[in-house]
Amino acid sequence: EIVSRDWSSDVCSSDLGTTLLKLLDFNNAIFYLKKATEINKDYFEAYFNLGECYRNLDFYDEAIRCFNKCIELHSNDFEIYNNLGLVYHKLNLLSEALINFKKCLNINPEFFQAYNNIGVVYLENNQIEDAIINFNKCIKIKFDFVDAYNNLGMALHKQKKYLAAVSILEKGILINNKFINLYANLANSLKSLGKFIDSISLLEERFSQDKNSEILPILASNYCNIGNIFKGINYYRKSLKFDPKPDVYGSLLFNLNYINDLDFKEYFEITNKIKSFYKKYDYKINYNKNLNEDNKKIKLGFVSGDFREHAVGYQVFEVVRYLSKNNDFELYAYYNDLEEDELTKKFKEIFKFWRSIKKMSDSMVINQIKLDEIEILVDLSGYTEGNRLQVFFNKPASIQVSWAGYLASTGLKEIDYIIVDEHIAANLDVKNQFTEKLWKLKNTWSVLAPTDNIVLADIPAKKNGYITFGSFNNLKKINNKVINLWSQILYQCKNSKLILMTSQFKDKKFIEYFSKFFLDQGVNLKQLVFREETNRNDLLNLYNSIDISLDTFPYNGGTTSLESIFMCVPVLTKKGNTFLSKCGESINTSIGLSDWIAENDEDYLLKAINFANDFIKLQEVKSYLINNRNYFKLFDSKDFADQLSNSFKKMLQLI
């Protein structure tokens, strides 16, 4: 919000400067306001408005100088402290921001905006209760201040009080139905309640034709999240036509991985567009090639937003733990999220140094990595949420590696290697699919740590008398081609069932929407079992209800397939031609189940029917997995960590 001061003066330039400020012509306003301060060195209002111009142009040092001059002239003016707080907030100096907002309230306890601003600072600091108290104080003073409703809704959402968030945000919309952020946050809270169809309806009805709306990327994301990838991609493209943004390009790129026959020419055109937004920061890199001099430890950094209960977190935790015990390495975490859970606490215990970078600018993160003298920097995100690829674009470490979090190319030549395995690398069109060099490990590109308190059972078909298929993959992976093929399997295996699990199945409307795709293929609704997402132990134990896991394509299961094998349920997969579409092939090859790799759709269908009709064979496979699970390299985090540590050393030797 622009705050200006009117004043009476014989100085024409001051009046003109104020007018220009109100018209948001900040540069010309500065010219005339500076003239006013030159004529009168104690011109309070001119300094105040000059500070506002500088603040809105992000010239923060000049803004602070002007507001401090105002304090010298009139220290009891509450708005000065509020504006100073806004400047410090922009500079991410949150303590200084809070001090000034509170000074503002000491002078004027009824200044509602200061309560809102304090709430925003607390919200960003993850002090949710304090944030909520201040937003409510703001609303009590100014019941129609819509920003506070929006912020209160976000705070309640962060507390996972989604119903309360919906209620507050709906009240905000009644006050101002043109405040777009209210709709965006309401859509997110509805989505978190499992009301995906309602979330989409809310936005599409009002904003689908809005060419300049920030809602379009949210609509795109929502459609992708319910499996309608093509409609989601179309919304991303529409958004980019009107407002090109690097994060929207990144989301488009990520979701392109879910479609069949990905055009890699277009893929790298998009990575180049993303890179055009990135900035190169000036600094000198002095690579240290004498790494083992005086028994120097190799400084190894990991950048991720997923050091928590997340698929990537589950995959990498044990590997990182073993690496932390290796005396040749010193481990640094650069965590790009504020959310922390039990797995986050465990991660914190194993890293020697823990850096929370969510609130840090890219230049600050780069400087921190340089200050830490990181020699090998590992990206665990790619173009997924929580990535900091601009940091890698600046090459703050001598060796940069992509691993586990994004199974495709980043398109950044500054990332030297991507970790794959020998099975993934076989027959892969490396030249057209990667800017990184492939670093091939044996057996598998990643591992899954074993979990305690897990009970294994015989195939459920023994007691059920019918086959149960299952897939707990992300709904984005279950595209029309997958549904068509699975429908043929269910149609051929009349008494079989298919268990699907995802968070979207909280919503009855969504189940009706999704079921129709199978019903249109002639599947009996009784063959479909929809399960809501649950805690990890319950999820793993649910595999005891499944005889055969069906892999998705072209985006194969990663963590889900590893979990299925860990629970000794075989995964039927299909050969692919990209990293993402060869994961199932890699997993099955590494455990000796090559006959569970289909050559094509027809072979996939045939294998599914044959396996489903042979209970004896299925039990033999189950027994084989149970008897050999402890020997599979898929679950040997120590061996994988040893391979990775040796690889890191070799990479440094190749500099």
Side-chain angles (χ1 to χ4, degrees):
E1 182 176 346
I2 307 302
V3 179
S4 64
R5 292 292 187 89
D6 289 311
W7 64 88
S8 298
S9 171
D10 295 331
V11 183
C12 181
S13 59
S14 62
D15 294 328
L16 186 53
T18 302
T19 301
L20 290 166
L21 169 59
K22 290 178 178 179
L23 293 171
L24 309 185
D25 186 355
F26 302 118
N27 285 305
N28 285 318
I30 287 171
F31 175 80
Y32 290 103
L33 290 167
K34 283 179 77 173
K35 266 192 170 186
T37 60
E38 288 166 5
I39 295 169
N40 182 350
K41 302 292 184 186
D42 294 331
Y43 213 141
F44 173 84
E45 286 82 1
Y47 280 113
F48 185 94
N49 287 342
L50 192 55
E52 274 297 276
C53 288
Y54 285 132
R55 180 172 75 85
N56 283 281
L57 289 172
D58 297 340
F59 297 156
Y60 299 126
D61 289 341
E62 291 88 344
I64 290 170
R65 180 179 58 79
C66 288
F67 290 135
N68 280 333
K69 179 66 176 177
C70 288
I71 291 171
E72 286 178 26
L73 297 170
H74 195 346
S75 62
N76 286 326
D77 191 293
F78 64 91
E79 286 184 277
I80 307 170
Y81 297 103
N82 183 63
N83 287 4
L84 256 180
L86 293 172
V87 173
Y88 284 123
H89 177 254
K90 280 284 189 180
L91 290 168
N92 204 34
L93 299 171
L94 301 185
S95 296
E96 288 84 350
L98 273 178
I99 288 168
N100 280 280
F101 291 140
K102 288 179 179 178
K103 281 182 180 178
C104 171
L105 289 172
N106 286 339
I107 298 169
N108 182 0
E110 296 299 305
F111 190 62
F112 60 93
Q113 288 171 309
Y115 286 112
N116 181 66
N117 294 336
I118 288 171
V120 169
V121 173
Y122 281 135
L123 186 60
E124 291 178 2
N125 258 344
N126 230 27
Q127 296 171 258
I128 311 299
E129 285 295 343
D130 291 327
I132 288 171
I133 289 168
N134 280 277
F135 294 138
N136 279 320
K137 284 181 179 178
C138 176
I139 290 168
K140 187 175 181 180
I141 297 168
K142 182 75 170 168
F143 78 92
D144 60 349
F145 188 60
V146 73
D147 297 69
Y149 287 89
N150 183 58
N151 293 331
L152 180 55
M154 286 194 290
L156 292 166
H157 183 97
K158 275 197 169 189
Q159 281 191 326
K160 300 187 177 180
K161 296 178 179 177
Y162 303 124
L163 280 172
V166 166
S167 176
I168 285 294
L169 293 165
E170 287 177 339
K171 285 180 182 177
I173 289 172
L174 287 175
I175 294 168
N176 183 351
N177 64 6
K178 294 182 180 179
F179 196 97
I180 290 176
N181 287 349
L182 287 165
Y183 290 92
N185 290 320
L186 177 56
N188 284 331
S189 291
L190 287 170
K191 183 173 70 173
S192 295
L193 282 169
K195 297 180 180 294
F196 294 91
I197 304 301
D198 289 344
S199 177
I200 287 173
S201 298
L202 171 77
L203 300 181
E204 193 160 49
E205 182 180 331
R206 187 177 180 91
F207 298 105
S208 63
Q209 301 306 315
D210 189 341
K211 295 180 180 180
N212 300 307
S213 174
E214 292 183 8
I215 294 293
L216 293 177
I218 300 172
L219 258 177
S221 174
N222 279 351
Y223 268 112
C224 288
N225 283 328
I226 65 167
N228 195 335
I229 298 294
F230 284 103
K231 193 157 188 177
I233 285 172
N234 285 338
Y235 269 123
Y236 280 127
R237 294 189 196 281
K238 184 177 179 181
S239 172
L240 287 165
K241 280 183 182 178
F242 306 117
D243 189 11
K245 290 181 179 177
D247 57 329
V248 179
Y249 273 117
S251 296
L252 170 62
L253 192 74
F254 175 67
N255 284 289
L256 283 174
N257 286 300
Y258 290 97
I259 68 173
N260 292 285
D261 303 318
L262 174 60
D263 181 348
F264 281 97
K265 183 181 178 184
E266 180 191 17
Y267 183 93
F268 287 112
E269 284 174 357
I270 295 172
T271 64
N272 287 333
K273 285 178 181 175
I274 294 169
K275 285 188 287 185
S276 71
F277 289 92
Y278 288 169
K279 179 181 177 182
K280 284 280 188 185
Y281 295 94
D282 295 328
Y283 62 87
K284 282 189 176 181
I285 303 175
N286 297 312
Y287 294 142
N288 184 356
K289 294 187 180 182
N290 301 314
L291 296 166
N292 295 317
E293 192 173 84
D294 300 324
N295 296 316
K296 182 181 181 295
K297 289 189 175 184
I298 298 168
K299 294 190 174 186
L300 177 60
F302 292 86
V303 182
S304 180
D306 299 320
F307 292 133
R308 53 192 171 88
E309 292 175 4
H310 181 276
V312 174
Y314 295 137
Q315 282 189 45
V316 306
F317 175 74
E318 280 295 314
V319 177
V320 173
R321 188 173 71 84
Y322 279 114
L323 283 171
S324 72
K325 294 180 179 181
N326 189 319
N327 289 326
D328 293 333
F329 293 91
E330 189 171 83
L331 268 60
Y332 292 70
Y334 300 92
Y335 184 42
N336 195 42
D337 205 309
L338 297 177
E339 182 181 335
E340 297 190 2
D341 52 33
E342 290 304 312
L343 191 55
T344 311
K345 292 175 186 175
K346 292 179 181 179
F347 269 114
K348 281 186 170 183
E349 291 171 1
I350 59 176
F351 278 103
K352 181 160 186 180
F353 296 96
W354 182 270
R355 314 291 193 206
S356 182
I357 64 170
K358 179 67 175 176
K359 297 180 184 177
M360 295 170 64
S361 68
D362 287 321
S363 62
M364 291 169 68
V365 176
I366 292 162
N367 287 332
Q368 183 63 62
I369 291 168
K370 292 297 296 175
L371 189 65
D372 291 337
E373 298 182 321
I374 298 300
E375 291 152 313
I376 301 174
L377 191 64
V378 182
D379 174 47
L380 296 172
S381 298
Y383 289 99
T384 63
E385 188 176 353
N387 79 77
R388 298 300 290 266
L389 282 180
Q390 186 168 197
V391 170
F392 286 85
F393 179 71
N394 278 270
K395 200 85 159 59
S398 53
I399 292 292
Q400 300 193 141
V401 182
S402 174
W403 172 51
Y406 186 71
L407 310 185
S409 179
T410 61
L412 299 184
K413 68 181 189 315
E414 292 81 7
I415 294 184
D416 303 280
Y417 302 103
I418 182 168
I419 301 294
V420 299
D421 61 53
E422 54 196 4
H423 312 304
I424 295 289
N427 303 315
L428 200 60
D429 184 1
V430 178
K431 182 179 178 182
N432 291 318
Q433 294 186 20
F434 295 93
T435 54
E436 306 86 348
K437 295 176 185 174
L438 302 192
W439 192 278
K440 291 177 275 189
L441 302 181
K442 293 181 179 179
N443 305 307
T444 178
W445 83 96
S446 190
V447 289
L448 186 73
T451 305
D452 297 329
N453 305 319
I454 296 298
V455 177
L456 298 175
D458 286 340
I459 60 168
K462 273 188 174 182
K463 61 178 180 181
N464 293 336
Y466 57 83
I467 286 293
T468 304
F469 299 101
S471 176
F472 300 161
N473 277 294
N474 180 335
L475 197 69
K476 289 183 181 183
K477 299 180 182 182
I478 305 176
N479 56 52
N480 287 338
K481 283 193 74 174
V482 171
I483 290 173
N484 290 345
L485 193 49
W486 288 359
S487 296
Q488 290 181 59
I489 293 169
L490 294 172
Y491 186 79
Q492 294 287 338
C493 305
K494 295 291 186 185
N495 295 321
S496 64
K497 292 187 182 296
L498 172 63
I499 299 178
L500 299 172
M501 177 189 287
T502 181
S503 61
Q504 286 89 330
F505 294 139
K506 293 178 187 176
D507 184 8
K508 289 182 180 179
K509 285 185 183 178
F510 179 76
I511 290 175
E512 291 175 10
Y513 163 84
F514 188 73
S515 299
K516 191 173 184 302
F517 296 118
F518 286 91
L519 294 175
D520 288 346
Q521 301 295 320
V523 173
N524 188 328
L525 190 58
K526 292 180 180 178
Q527 290 182 277
L528 301 173
V529 180
F530 300 109
R531 296 291 297 267
E532 292 181 24
E533 207 167 42
T534 184
N535 66 68
R536 191 154 184 256
N537 268 8
D538 287 348
L539 179 149
L540 290 174
N541 282 315
L542 187 58
Y543 277 103
N544 285 321
S545 302
I546 294 172
D547 297 290
I548 298 172
S549 286
L550 296 176
D551 202 1
T552 50
F553 50 86
Y555 202 135
N556 290 171
T559 302
T560 48
S561 293
L562 291 169
E563 288 171 341
S564 182
I565 298 299
F566 178 72
M567 292 304 298
C568 302
V569 177
V571 179
L572 176 60
T573 191
K574 189 176 74 162
K575 285 186 176 180
N577 57 10
T578 64
F579 190 165
L580 290 162
S581 63
K582 286 170 70 71
C583 292
E585 183 181 348
S586 171
I587 289 169
N588 281 352
T589 303
S590 70
I591 60 173
L593 287 185
S594 296
D595 54 335
W596 284 75
I597 304 169
E599 292 289 332
N600 48 45
D601 289 1
E602 292 75 17
D603 194 32
Y604 189 104
L605 174 61
L606 185 62
K607 284 181 181 292
I609 295 168
N610 288 341
F611 289 139
N613 287 327
D614 193 340
F615 289 9
I616 295 174
K617 176 66 174 175
L618 267 183
Q619 185 58 58
E620 286 176 359
V621 173
K622 179 94 173 189
S623 299
Y624 165 78
L625 293 175
I626 291 172
N627 293 333
N628 291 280
R629 185 181 67 169
N630 292 337
Y631 306 105
F632 293 149
K633 293 300 182 182
L634 294 178
F635 312 117
D636 191 342
S637 298
K638 184 180 185 308
D639 177 77
F640 189 91
D642 289 342
Q643 282 195 65
L644 212 50
S645 63
N646 290 332
S647 296
F648 289 148
K649 291 173 187 176
K650 288 177 184 176
M651 290 174 190
L652 287 167
Q653 290 169 4
L654 292 172
I655 295 176

